[in-house]
Amino acid sequence: MTVATLSEGPAILIGYAWRLHIEAEAPVFTEGASYAGHLRLKPSDPTLLAELSSADGGIARITDTVLELSLTPSQTAALTPGHMVLDLVRTDLEPDLHLGFLLEVPVMLPVTRGLRP
């Protein structure tokens, strides 16, 4: 399987919610399927920075061709400026199926921050 690295989309702003739509060219996001993904500093890093899943609402199927990924403000608050990586796995199949792409997402410190304790 070839893994494509994608680097388009919005940056994660530390302390703010983040959302990204992933759009496939073919109808590959089956209704009822479940997904999981890990956010790490780099693929080889053992430290898990955030986990997204269908079960917790971090990955939501919008249509057969669109998934929405999201992080909460509390998940992004623990990040540092730079770049993070994320990939996705379909977890309702046996064995789990890697979706074949790796996202590289910039992480930025916003100018407006610390508004709520």
Side-chain angles (χ1 to χ4, degrees), residues 11-19 69-77:
I12 297 170
L13 296 175
I14 296 169
Y16 288 89
W18 174 81
R19 293 195 189 291
L69 310 180
S70 61
L71 294 169
T72 64
S74 62
Q75 287 175 304
T76 67

Side-chain angles (χ1 to χ4, degrees), residues 64-102:
D64 286 347
T65 58
V66 178
L67 281 182
E68 180 179 77
L69 310 180
S70 61
L71 294 169
T72 64
S74 62
Q75 287 175 304
T76 67
L79 302 178
T80 57
H83 284 85
M84 305 293 155
V85 293
L86 170 73
D87 62 5
L88 297 178
V89 173
R90 185 167 167 187
T91 58
D92 62 304
L93 300 174
E94 186 59 43
D96 294 341
L97 176 66
H98 191 278
L99 297 187
F101 64 88
L102 174 78

Side-chain angles (χ1 to χ4, degrees), residues 16-29:
Y16 288 89
W18 174 81
R19 293 195 189 291
L20 175 70
H21 281 195
I22 301 292
E23 188 168 354
E25 293 180 1
V28 295
F29 304 129

